[in-house]
Each structure stands twice: as C-alpha cells, then as structure tokens.
Amino acid sequence: MTTIVLNQQDPKFKEEVASRPGAENFKLCFTCGTCTASCPVAEVNDEYDPRKIIRMSVFGMREAVLGSDVIWMCQRCYVCYARCPQNVKFADVMGVLREMAVEEGYAPKERIEEIEELDRFCQELRCDLVQNMTNPDEKMKSSIKAKLDKHLAR
Amino acid sequence: MSDMEQIEKKGAVLVIGAGIAGIQSSLDLANSGFKVYLVEESAAIGGIMAQLDKTFPTNDCAMCIVSPKLVECGRHLNIELLTNSELMSLEGEAGNFRARIFKHPRFVDLDDCTGCGECAAVCPVNTISVFDEGLVQTTAVYKPYAQAFPNAFVIEKNETPPCQLGCPANIHVQGYVALAAKGKYKEAYDLIRMNNPFVSVCGRVCFHPCETQCYRGEYDEPIDIRSIKKFIADYVHSHHEEMEKAEIAKPAGEKVAIIGAGPAGLTCGFYLARMGYRVSIFEKDSQAGGMMRSCIPPYRLSREELDWEIGEILKEGIDLKLNYPIESASDIEKLKAEGFKAFYVGIGAQLSKMMGIEGENMKGVWGGVDFLKKVNYGEKVDVGKKVAVVGGGNTAIDCARTALRLGADEVNLICLETRNLESKDRMPAHSWEIEEAEEEGVIIRDRRGFKGIETENGRLCGVLTTYCESVFDKDGVFAPVVCDDIAMPIISADTLIIAIGQGSDLSGFDFLKSNRGTVSIDPETFATNIDGFFAGGDVATGPASVVSAIGQGHEAAISIDRYLRGEDLIAGRDNIDRTPSTKDKLYVPPESRVEIPELKPEDRICNFDEIELSLTEEEVRREANRCLSCGICSGCLQCEIACEANAIKHDMVGEMVDIEVGAVILANGADKYDPSHKYEYGYGMFPNVVTSIQFERILSASGPFAGHIERPSDSKKPRKIAWIQCVGSRDTVEHKHYCSSVCCMYAIKEAVIAKEHESEIEPTIFYMDLRAYGKDFEAYYNRAKETGGVRFVRSRVGKVLEIPETGNLMVYYSTEDNGRQFAEEFDMVVLSVGFEPSSSLAELENRLGIRLNRHSFVETSTFRPVSTSREGVFVCGPTSAPKDIPETVTQASGAVAGAESILASARGTAIAEKVYPPERDISREQPRIGVFICHCGINIGSVVDVPSVVDYAKGLPNVVYASENLFTCSQDTQEKMKSIIEEYKLNKVVVASCSPRTHEPLFQETLRESGLNPRLFEMANIRDQCSWVHRENHEAATEKSKYLLHMAVAKAALLEPLPSVTLDVNQSALVIGGGLAGMVSAISIAEQGFDVNLIEAENELGGNMRNIYFTPAKDDVQGYLQSLIETVEEHPRITVHKMTRVSNIEGYIGNYKTTITNGETEKKIEHGVIVVATGAEEYKPDEYLYGSNVNVITQNELEEKLFNADKGLKKAKNIVMIQCVGSRDEKHPYCSRICCTKAIKNAIELAEANPKANIYILYRDIRTYGFNEEYYEKARDAGVVFIRYNDSEKPVVSQIDGKIKVEVKDAILEADIAIEPDYLVLAPAIVPRAGAVDISRMLKAPLNEDGFFLEAHVKLRPVDFATEGVFLAGLAHAPKTMDETISQAMAAAARACTLISKDKYTAESIVANVNQDVCVGCGICEAVCPYSAPKIIIKDGKKVSEVNVALCKGCGNCACSCPSGAMEQLGFKYNQTATMLENALNL
C-alpha cells in the first residue's frame, strides 16, 4: 500500500477548487457515499468512485486528481447532485476539475469539447439502439455500425 | 428585579404541551406548591413517548414507565388539564401573565364519558389512526390509545363535507353513505329522513348537487350518491314488514294548514307532525304529490314508489284532504275559524307558460305541463306521428320522451340554446336527460328560434324556425339574438308541445303575490309578509328542483314551530358555519365508480317502466366505500344513539378561557420529519418502507399487529430489515443543518428488539457516524454489534427500489472501504426520521412573543438553556433542540426551577389540598377481599386465560368479589374499583396485573380515596412473571397466574393497616461541589427561597469551567463564570465552604447532619436535602507520546494556548488532532460525549487564528449531536480535514529528533496517510473523580460500571437517586456540555425543592419492627443494614435493637438476618410470607 505524505501535497488545491463557481460546497463533503451509491457510472465501473475524487482533492493531491482519467468518466447526469445531503454539486465540481486539468496542461484543451461530443454521440447511439430494439431494422443496424466505426476511427 | 417585585405574583404556571416534558414540569410544579394549567393540543396527554415500544439503553417498556406518570398527572389535584386546547395570546409580564386559551370542541363531554367504547363500536367511518402512524385505521370517534388520559373518547371532525354543503336539504350525506357502506340501511334511511322524507323519490329523480360537490370527483369520479340513496329506500321498502316500527304518537298540538300536497307541503307537514302539530294538507287534485306526480314521468319515478313514500309520510298523523281547493280569501278565513293557527302555501308552479302566438289554441298544440299532467294522470292523449317540442329544459325533455312512449314516430326538440354543454348558451336540461333522450331517438334542433306554425287545411303541419345566434348576453341575462333573415327548413309536425316555462296559479292568494308572480318570502325562514303565513317550493322560487322544495319545506316547518311557540324565527339560523372540509388529509384508494344498469333504449320507449335498474347490495357497498370521508366524522349520529351516558355532543362549540399565571413553560415537543418527498427512499410509494416511529408501533404489543413483526404490504414476517439513518437530519438540502440526536440509538434499539422478537430477523443499520454519545449508550451499541446480531454498515444509502413481484426492496449503497456500489435485497426498510421543529411554533412565536433560532426551534443560549427570549417564558425538551428523553425530563425540571425562581413568593397561594376520607377501622371485620385481574390490553390477556383465573379467584377463601379488566390502571376502572369497594364492603384488595414497582402507588391511592389504609393492598405480577416469561406456553402461564394469585390472596387476608410516618423537614440544602453544576444548583435553590451550604474542595469556585475559554457559539465563558462566582458569594442564602471536604453524612431525608472538614477544622451542618455535583476530570493520556514530547498536548492545553495567543501555534503549519484518546477503549468503554465538539470548536478557533495552518482531525465517529452538527459543517467549510480511523487500526505516532509523525490509514483512498505535524492535540476522555467513591459510600448512592453516579432511573428520574432526598447534577453523572450541566443543575434544584418546599415528609410505612421481648441484642441487624437504621441500645438493662423508622428503607436485610426472629418487616411479616408459601405449595 502506498503512503501519502500530506505535508508533500498541495494544501492550496482544495481552496482553489472551492473558489470556482459550482464547487463552493465541495469541502462540505463528509464522505457519506451517497454519490457513489447513486452513480450510474459506478454501477458499471468498479474503479469509478466520486467520493474518492473529492477525497483526493481535499487532501491536496493536485497531480493525481487533475492527471487522472476518472475525472472524465462522470456522465454529468446530476443524480449525485440531487441526492447529496451536503449539496456538494458533484457534477459541477467535475466541471471545475476538468477546466483546471486543461488550464494546467494535464489534458489537451480540446478534451472538454471532445467529451461533450462523446456524450452526444452516446446519447444518439442509445436512441438508435432503443429504436432498433423496439423495431429491428437492418438499415438501422448498419447505420449504428457505421457511426460506431466512424467514431472509433477518430 | 425591582419592577418584578412590585407586581403581584401569581402562584400558577401554564405548561404548554403534555408529552413527557410537560408532564414532568407539571408534576414538579404541583408537588412544590404551584397550581398548573396543562394545555395540550391533542385529545390526550403522553406525547410521542406513549407511542414508543421500548426505551434505550435499558429496554424498558415506554408505556409501562410513562403510564404511572400519566395517571399521577391526570389525577393531580393541582394540575388542571386542558386538552384539545391551544394558547391564543399571552399578555402581561413575568410573574403576572394573562393567557388566553381556546378549547376546541371534543364533541364528547369529558364529565360524562365513561370510556366504554360503545360509540366507536357503531361508528361507520374508517379514518387513519394517528397514534398508529397510519398503519391501521380507527373510527372517527376514538380514544387516542388504550391507556390515554383523560380516558375518554373524542370525535374527529373536518368541518362540513362538501356533499352536505351542496345539498339544498342539508342532508348528512356522508353519514348515510358511511352507514350504507356498513350495510346499515335502516339507520341510513332514518338519518336521511331527519332532513328529507322523500328518500325514494330523491333516490330516483334528484339532480344530486351533492355529487357535483363531491371531492372524489376531483380525482376520478364522484360517489354515486343518488344510487346509494335509491338502494337504501328500496331496501327499506322491500324489508318494511320485518323492520321494527317505532310507535308514532298521535299529534295533539296546534292546528296547521298546508295548501298543496307537493314535495314542499308534504315535507313541511311531515316535520310539523313529528313535532306534534295537527297538520291538515289541502290538495285541489285528486292525488297527492304535486309536480312529482303531474310532471315527472313514471319511467323516471314509478308511481308505486311515489305512493309508498307519500303513504309513509302521512303515517306521521297527517290529515290529507284531496279535491279540496283553497281558492279564495273566504276559504282561508274559514280555516282560521276552524282553529288553524298557521298556514303553509306550497302550491307549486303548475301553469304552462305559452308564447302568445297565433294558432296556439289549435288542436294538436299543448302546453308542456298540461300535456304531462294529462298523460301522468292516466288520461288518453293522442300525439300523432310527428311531434315537435319547443324548449330546452327538463320539462321539454320529459315531454319529448313521453311523446315517444305514446307512439310518436319522430320527435323533434326545438330550442334556442345549444346542445354544446360547454357553451354559455347550453341547454338548461341536465346532461344525462339530454343523453338519454337522444339514445331513445329524440332529435335535438338546437340554436333555433320559434317563428310560427305552419298549417295545412287548418291542421298543424309544421314549425317555422330561425337561427338563434346567442341566448345569454355577456352578463348572463336571457337576451336571445335571433336572425330572422336566416330561414331554417320547416320541421314537419302534427303535434306541438310548448315547454318553455311554468307559473303559479295564485288566485286566492293575491295578498301574498309579489310583482314577479311568486310569493315573496324571507330566504332563511320562509315566512311571508303576512303574519302566520309561510311558503316555499316553486310557488316562492319559481320552477326549481324537488330537493330544493324539500329543503324549504323543512325550514318552514322549523319556522312554524318557532312561530307557534312565540320564539324568534331567525335566531341561530343565519350564522351556521358553512366551512367545507379541508382536502389535505384525503387518501384516495383506487376504485372506479359503479355503473348503473339501465333498460336498453329499444326496450324502454315502448312503455313507462323505470328505465334505471337497481344496483346490487354488493355494488352499493363498494360504491359507498369509495367515499373519502371528507368530514371524517360523517354526522351519522349513531354514536349519539349508542351512548348510554349521553356524552356525545355533536353541536359542541369551542370556548375561549382566560387564565392568570406567573410563568409559562413551553413543552410542546417537536414534529417527526416527513420523508415522503425524499423520493429516492420510496416512502409513500413502497408499502414496506416505513418510518422508525411506524416501526415502534409495529414492535409495540399495543400496536397494529399486536407486537408481531409484520410488514404492511402482505403481513409477511420480514427477515432482512434495513435501517437508513439521518433521514431528514444532517441534510443541508432539506435545511436540516443539525443532527436529530436520538435516531442512532433508537435504530439500534429497534434492531435489537426486533431480533429479540424474532431471532431469524437480520437487522442492518446503514449509518454515517454512529452517535452513541449518551450515558451507557456505547455499551449498548457494542452489545448490539458483538452479541446482538445487528450488522452496521457505514454508508448513506443512495436509493431504494421496490421489486414489484415480492414487495421486497433493493437498497443501493457504497461502503467506504472499496468504493463499489452494492445492491442488496431487504424485506423491509425503516427510515430513521429525525426531528422537525413543531409546526405550531410558527404561530406560538407570535402569540408568545418569543424568538426562534435559525433552525426554527425555540431560541435559547448556552448559559440560559431553558429560558426563551421573553422573560418568564421557559422552554424544555425538543421544543428548543432535538434531544432524548432523559435530557428532556431534565430540562422539564430545569424549566420548573426557572419558573419557581420568579414565583417563589407566590408558592402555595393558588393550590388546593387533598382531603382523604377518614380511614375505616377494619380491626373487627372479617377479611373481605376483592380481586381485580387485568388483561393489560393483550399483554396478559393474549397469553393468560384471564376468565379462568377470575373463576379460580372466586373460589378462594375470603374472596367476595372478582372480576377482569382490560386495563385495571385506567381511570374508569379505578373509579369502578372505588364503587366496588363500597358496594361489597371490601377491606382488602388484590390486583393481578403488572409490576408493583410501577403501579402499586396508583392502586394504593385508590384505596385511600375509598377510606382504606393503602397497605391493605396486595399485587400479583402476572404480566412480567407469567405472560411475558412464559409467552410460548399459555397453559402454564395461566396455571402460574393462579398460583401467584392464590399466594397474594392468602397474604391479603393477613394484611394489617400500617400507619404513615410523618417527619419534619429541615428546609435547606447541601450542595457538594462548587463547579458549574454546584453553583447553578445552589443559586437556583437559594432563589427559590431556601438556604444552601455549598462545599468546594479547592480554594476557588469554578471547577473544570476555569479551563474553558471558548464555546462553539462564542460565548464569554470566563465572564459568565465570574458573574456566577459573584452571585454565589454574595447571595444571602448561600454559605460557601472552600477548601472543604465532606467527611461524614448522617441522617436521612429532611434531616441530614453532615460533617465537613477544612484542614483541621470540623463543622456540622444540618440540612434537608443533598445535591451531588462533584464533577469529573480530564484523563491524563499515556498514549501518543503525551508527556514525552512537548508538542503533544491535550485539547484543554490547546484551548489555553489559543486563549493566550500562543506564538508557536500562530506559526504552526500542520496540526493533527486525535479523538477518542482514552474513550471508547478497554480502559474507558464509554464515549466522553463532548470531545468531538470541543476539538471542532478549537479547530475553528485555530483556523481563524492561523488561516494558513492545515488542520487534520483523526476520528472514529464524529458525534456532533444536535445543533453541534453546524460546527462540524463550519469546520469542514473552514478547510479542516477529517480523517476517520478504525478502532482496530489506531493512528501510529512516532518521533525522530522531536519531530512528530502521525500515520493513519484512510479507508476511502485505501492508502496510508502520513502527516508530520507541528502539534499533536489529543482529546482525552472524561473520567470520574477519585473522590466519587467516598461520597457514594457515605450516601449509599451507587456508581455505574464506569464510575459515574447512577441515577434512580436513566429515563424518567435522571437527577434523582434511589435514596430519597439526594440529587445529582453535572459531570458526576456523566460527561456533558455546559448547557446540559446548567439544565441538570437547575433540575436537581427543582427536584430538591419538591421536598424542602414542605415542612413535612411522609416516610415509607413498610419498615422493620423489633419485638424487643424476643431480641437478644446480638447486633447482626446493625451490621447488615445499609442505611444504619437499627441500633443496639440498652433498655431496662438489656441490650436490644431499636429501629429509626425514618432511616429504614424497608429493604429487609435485618429481618432475614435476625437469628431470634425478633426483627420483622411490616407488610412482610413472618406469618404473611409463610402463608404465601404454604398456599403456593399446597395448591
């Protein structure tokens, strides 16, 4: 098990996060886990744990947070936001962390747009798949495949 | 103060709220010489505690411990109980207030109600049971719960139901619907006839405005009220012969003449005849019925039904005179001459209005009413083949449909209005009439103006019409706009019926005629302008409905009665409350409206049979059950009929009373959070998700499932049950910035008790921080976890979903140790709902003039925890903050101390004394024993065969009376017991029920009130010792009950009266300990007017408080301390002894002699009571390098550094705090309660002093209960980082070259964390002082396992010791905060004053007694007595024992140690005990 020496972390990090719009309440997190228990991403991905991201941020683990893939996993469905008893607005906190990751060079600046596009693509894909499920159709199937291939080719 | 002394003080106190807090306050006040007015908004006292099953941490039954208090409070001579009442205003000032109280009507007279329950047995209404939290239903007349005090019923009303308001005859619609739902048709029929004698007619033809108003119509469809009424009438008609008939007395009163035998006249006559008047009805036609007969066709109202109904009306003794027209003034004069004193004109509107056009008198043209009348009177009418009807109203429709039935091939209905019923120009006929007519083939030609008739060869051949553009103008006035230029096709017709309106034939009544062609009347009384003449129905209103005529006829009957008795006609009739029921409580179970079967159109147009068929009984009852019971009480009046005591008063009204009091105590508690809008938990959607308070009811033996754990959806026994904590607590989104303080413990208790009920239950508690912070709570938690089979999961649940097939619930959660999401299936989910500020506070804030805090609870402050912002108004319990029962009870007594400080001079000025009848001398009587055996609801009765025990008792020697009771302790049974004692001349009483510990005093009081010595009483505990311990074996439990009873009866025969011993009381107090608790107690007692000696071991007052500099609320602690010390030292009634210890305590309640030592000096003090406030101290840690590194300090040391603005602290970059140092471990297994808040308080101070510092708090559970949660929130916001550690993996602290390193595992990151702090701050435990052991020994006051003093009862006697006269406050009791200490210190003072406010004390009468002739003076008794009661003395030269009865507690040690048999215990004498054993063994 790794040891995290808190003296070596960046105590300013949590204040920086909290100073940005949307993340005002993030320090109020008392690690109850409602977010993780409600999260549709956590439902399918055991590695994804919103509570852990907040925790790392509170500990000042700037590099580990901003450089991590997990901050891009959030689907921003706002379920955690709705249920959090401390009004942490996790989905907005994610937005702040993503901005900071781009600003500080942990992620390319196109990343935010790419993720938005990916989200839109996933929504389209879902609609197509639902339609194909209720009304199977060869044309639809090949259209789905084509869209997916096109996306993977990027 | 000077102002206060000038006003006249009142010796009475108003207590608002009668939960446990209000009850405790009332008892303490009343027992120390004050009159109490106890105002409770509900119908019974007891509050939430009465709803609970068991209490933590002792698992006592809540009802069993509260019930004696209910009875004591309810029976107390100086407590005046005002239930169903609320405070409206409070004027005046502290010492002299005037309170205005509104007493809401109970509708049951408390003086008359015996609590027998006959009313509830006949009540047809089901409404949700508030006491059982909606899990089951109760009736609209109910007793809140079995042991409720007052033991009386109450009727729940929700204003007037809309159906009744909609009815022109004001029928109790909800009432007869409710009765029909229960199959009580005759009762329903009688109820309707109280306002409407035409049940059958209205069941068929009423236009049912009741249904239009019905609230159910807003959800799906209104109740089919008319069909229900029709069924009721038909049922009574067809079962008429077998029904009981009431004898109808022949009327003998004044003579009243009624002109016209229509609905109005017959109704008026009916009610007048019922009132005893001699009524004659004069009808010009050959048959009675008026328009009902002439106009309503038989296919809507069969003539058989009409005849029957009129016959039933006439049976009241009405003289009907047919073919008897009254047409002229002379006719009237003739009647007057015959002795008729009043006249009612109800001649209807029987003239057809014509249009005055050419050809109107031609053959084949009819007036509508004339046409119907001819047909309906059976005359032959030829209608031809093609019929045109002009008119859009109901009469026109009737004409059209009648014409069809007479053989017309085609019927055209021509009207100005439109068929579009949404339009403002809609046809006036009822929609259903139009639809039925169309079904039968009537063609509606709407929007047509009648222009003229077309003739051919002098015979009618068609009707000319034009287009009608609109009928009503924008103000709704009839102003048809007809376009003459738009010619419409001719409608061919050989018959024309003109049905455009009716008028009255008022010839003979010119003197009554108005310019509108009607009789003008007063709209409330139906009196005309002419004395003695009344009128109603169509003749007064113009053509209207049958039901309006009925309503008016009834009202006129009331007026005529008043007129003939010379009373005012209008008084009380013009201001009737017409407020409709509120809709907020309605529950709408899904059930669609019943369909009324009808004849098919083709089967009905060929005859005049009723087209509407009847509903089956099953359909009617189902339909009646759809009623939402809007008014809750349906007004069916069955309870009034059933009540033998005449206690039901449906017309009871509220009453305003003013009372004068000197102070007010607000104890109205808090509400329970409603979780229905936390959608993610599914409450209200999924039946097996219940609240914790519902679960209390499920567990309770008196609950909806009789103590069997069942889930609501299917009564299945649940196996896996999940508790979800913090529902509505610690939730800033719900604006709950506080912890509700009690939920962790009650959830553990519920889980433990559930598991005890059914061992296969698997309880799981989902929590965030487990807050077992109270005395003995941690041990309870550990037991639950380690041996109680309760699983604890640290996670706040994300959502709950139902599995529809099974009703089971999926609970989604994520534990912190691996961050994964889990879904686990449970059979049932319990939501641990928190406290909400009482909803009544919003109004009380203004009415009392007090401030609320930011959480909307009543505002208090650290140093004045039971005071509100208005002087003289005190507060206690959850009204000011969430808290548990012991703290509530403590504060209740504390608030009393506050009130008594103001009112000390008025003590005893407003009270009454109880006088008992003189004790009967029974010395010459043979034993006459009465036996009362209790079912205790189902506690005993469901296991023990009580009737067989009663039979058994009847056969025992000396028993002259034996009976069983549902609850022997209830008020009505106690009253019954008194009358039985008198009737049977009983001289001994035996009760077989529960524990003498809780109930013996109650029964003994009843004996005293009956003139018997209270010791002539014996109890057999057949609940604890039979039904509870032998729950599984009913037979054995019953047999054992008989054994116990036999023993009790045998002993009772030998019982002797024991005199009560009265002692003088030294009216002063000794307070041991000069810290915060001791000083506050001393001041409080002194302010109440009694002398106090205050003992302090150190040379300075203040104790631990000297080390406290901050509070989380930023109070000035040291400033307050100085003011306290000054008050104590300057108070004329307080003597302070510093550097002094107590070295010996002698004596007993009321008469203590205490030796105190100051160095070499000894002094004796005499006093009546003792308050122990010896405090506790901080544990000196030996862990985490404390003592070996100067930078490892305690929280107290940190606080001092902060206060002194320590420079090192200002420079520190990293500070780590470790919680639970020496708490919750093997050395001190308890939680020290205050350390979490203290650390957080200091962390916030530190963050403010040094904003750059990184502050880390290492904790196990953050226990910031109540409003302290806010500071936890504030600390996080300030950047303080909280890291949780497990008990099994405590932080590791090391040092290299003086540099501290703290290592701890973070569960969420699954990583080791290392911090190198500048300071390490430890939160050490609070431990008892070493000196506590000595005080404990001197006072014989026990300590608990942890070394803190043990109070008499942890729930309900939190500041008393078992030893009377000794009280407890502060840290000596358990760790607590300053405000809690102050409350408790005041409470101890109030409790102490209940004793020293009187100069006499009545001691225990069961004491040891020596037969000195037999005594050998061996001294064993002296050695074994824990209270030093026996002493060996020399008497007549012989060593003998002598007992000081004031010291004796009746423990029996001496009696059973005495080798010679000289020492006996009164009440447990040798022969008495031996007889019990003999009888037990010889059974």
Side-chain angles (χ1 to χ4, degrees), chain A residues 1-7 11 14 27-28 30 32 34 36-37 39 43 46 49 51 55 83-86, chain B residues 730 732-733 768 796 798 814-816 819-821 1214 1254 1256 1276-1277 1279 1282 1306 1310 1312-1314 1316:
Chain A
M1 200 184 284
T2 52
T3 297
I4 302 159
V5 181
L6 293 189
N7 299 53
K14 67 171 184 281
K27 288 187 294 181
L28 292 182
F30 53 29
C32 69
T34 306
T36 309
C39 178
E43 198 172 338
D46 281 352
D49 182 355
R51 168 167 51 179
R55 194 73 183 149
R83 294 185 189 155
C84 173
Q86 293 295 308
Chain B
R730 306 181 66 188
T732 61
V733 182
M768 298 196 278
R796 192 170 175 279
S814 160
T815 57
E816 55 180 19
R820 279 216 316 270
Q821 198 181 91
N1214 291 290
N1254 298 311
Y1256 301 96
R1276 296 197 307 278
D1277 199 37
F1282 290 81
D1306 184 77
E1310 291 174 285
D1312 287 330
I1313 304 283
E1316 291 169 2

Side-chain angles (χ1 to χ4, degrees), chain B residues 1274-1294:
Chain B
K1274 194 172 165 192
R1276 296 197 307 278
D1277 199 37
V1280 178
V1281 177
F1282 290 81
I1283 304 173
R1284 204 182 63 73
Y1285 72 88
N1286 275 324
D1287 187 30
S1288 53
E1289 290 173 296
K1290 285 190 175 150
V1292 176
V1293 178
S1294 56

Side-chain angles (χ1 to χ4, degrees), chain B residues 286-337:
Chain B
S286 58
Q287 295 174 66
M291 297 291 268
M292 296 184 291
R293 187 177 300 279
S294 61
C295 262
I296 299 175
Y299 60 84
R300 288 175 55 209
L301 172 60
S302 87
R303 291 303 178 259
E304 185 202 350
E305 287 301 324
L306 179 62
D307 291 343
W308 174 71
E309 191 125 68
I310 292 171
E312 289 301 300
I313 291 167
L314 296 176
K315 276 185 189 165
E316 294 293 328
I318 297 168
D319 177 23
L320 174 66
K321 296 184 187 304
L322 296 171
N323 302 311
Y324 199 127
I326 304 294
E327 295 181 311
S328 64
S330 64
D331 291 344
I332 302 278
E333 288 309 315
K334 217 172 91 193
L335 292 178
K336 281 184 181 168

Side-chain angles (χ1 to χ4, degrees), chain A residues 13 17 20-24 26 35 39 41 48-57 65-66 68-78 80-81 88-102 112 115:
Chain A
F13 183 59
V17 174
R20 293 187 174 228
E24 303 88 345
F26 115 97
C35 46
C39 178
V41 181
Y48 185 74
D49 182 355
R51 168 167 51 179
K52 203 163 168 176
I53 298 167
I54 299 271
R55 194 73 183 149
M56 290 163 76
S57 307
V65 172
L66 299 184
S68 156
D69 283 350
V70 294
I71 62 171
W72 303 100
M73 294 280 194
C74 172
Q75 201 173 294
R76 303 191 78 177
C77 69
Y78 286 85
C80 55
Y81 189 126
V88 165
K89 306 181 182 173
F90 184 79
D92 292 350
V93 175
M94 277 299 105
V96 166
L97 292 177
R98 288 174 185 183
E99 269 169 34
M100 287 174 75
V102 170
I112 291 176
I115 287 287

Side-chain angles (χ1 to χ4, degrees), chain B residues 1410-1422:
Chain B
V1410 196
N1411 180 347
Q1412 289 177 337
D1413 295 340
V1414 180
C1415 178
V1416 295
C1418 70
I1420 291 177
C1421 53
E1422 193 178 349

Side-chain angles (χ1 to χ4, degrees), chain B residues 168 343-345 519-530 533-537 540-541 548-549 551-557 559-560 569-570 573:
Chain B
F343 295 82
Y344 182 73
V345 181
V519 173
S520 60
I521 40 94
D522 177 290
E524 308 283 351
T525 64
F526 296 91
T528 67
N529 298 328
I530 309 299
F533 281 80
F534 299 80
T541 58
S548 306
Q552 294 174 13
H554 187 192
E555 289 299 324
S559 297
I560 292 169
L569 295 188
I570 188 79
R573 297 168 82 181

